[in-house]
Amino acid sequence: MRIAAGLLAAATLTGATACSASDQPAHAKAQATVAASTRPVETFTPLLQQALPNVKGKTFTSAIVAFPPGASALPHRHGQAFVYAYVLEGTVRSKLDDKPVTTYHQGENWVEQPGAHHVLTENASRTKPAKLLVVFVSDTGAKLKVDDPKS
C-alpha cells in the first residue's frame, strides 16, 4: 500500500512538472504540493528466507531496511516474530512499547520481543541515509510487518 502511494506521488509529481503551471487544473497543483511535502519512508529488501529445519513452523528471514534522509516508518508490530536489528549505516531512533526513545549508531543493535509495538523508527539525520540489517524468526507464512490501523 505504501509503495503504491509512493508511486502515485511520483507519478503526480512527474505529471505536474511535465505541464506548465497555467496548464494544470487546480486539483493537480494541490496534489503536487501534498506529494512534495510527504515524508520519505523506508524500503524493505529481503535477502534470505528459509524454514528452520529444527524448529517446526518457524522461518528465518533477513532483510535490509533502508531509510533515506528524514525517513520514518509508520508505527507497527511484527506479530509473534522475534526481531534482531543491526545498524549498518547512519543513525536510527527507535521506541518500543512504553520504553524511552533510543538512538542507535552504526555498529549498534537491538532486539524486539514477540508482540512488541514499534512506536517509532526513523532516520535521525535529514541529510544522510541509514540502513539496518533486520533478522526475523517468525511463524511460517506470517506477515513480517503490520502497520497500525489509521485512526
Side-chain angles (χ1 to χ4, degrees), residues 87 90-94 96 102-106 108-111:
V87 182
T91 304
V92 175
R93 277 192 287 268
S94 177
L96 295 171
T102 304
T103 301
Y104 298 95
H105 303 279
Q106 183 176 355
E108 296 182 321
N109 60 80
W110 72 89
V111 296

Side-chain angles (χ1 to χ4, degrees), residues 19-98:
C19 304
S20 71
S22 61
D23 292 340
Q24 292 180 358
H27 72 277
K29 291 177 190 174
Q31 286 176 342
T33 302
V34 169
S37 66
T38 302
R39 189 170 184 179
V41 296
E42 82 280 13
T43 58
F44 180 91
T45 306
L47 297 174
L48 174 72
Q49 187 170 50
Q50 179 176 333
L52 292 173
N54 297 332
V55 187
K56 187 175 181 165
K58 296 291 182 180
T59 297
F60 171 96
T61 305
S62 62
I64 300 294
V65 180
F67 290 86
S72 65
L74 291 173
H76 61 275
R77 296 178 190 271
H78 298 288
Q80 291 306 304
F82 175 82
V83 180
Y84 169 79
Y86 178 86
V87 182
L88 294 168
E89 176 184 337
T91 304
V92 175
R93 277 192 287 268
S94 177
K95 177 174 173 44
L96 295 171
D97 297 314
D98 59 353

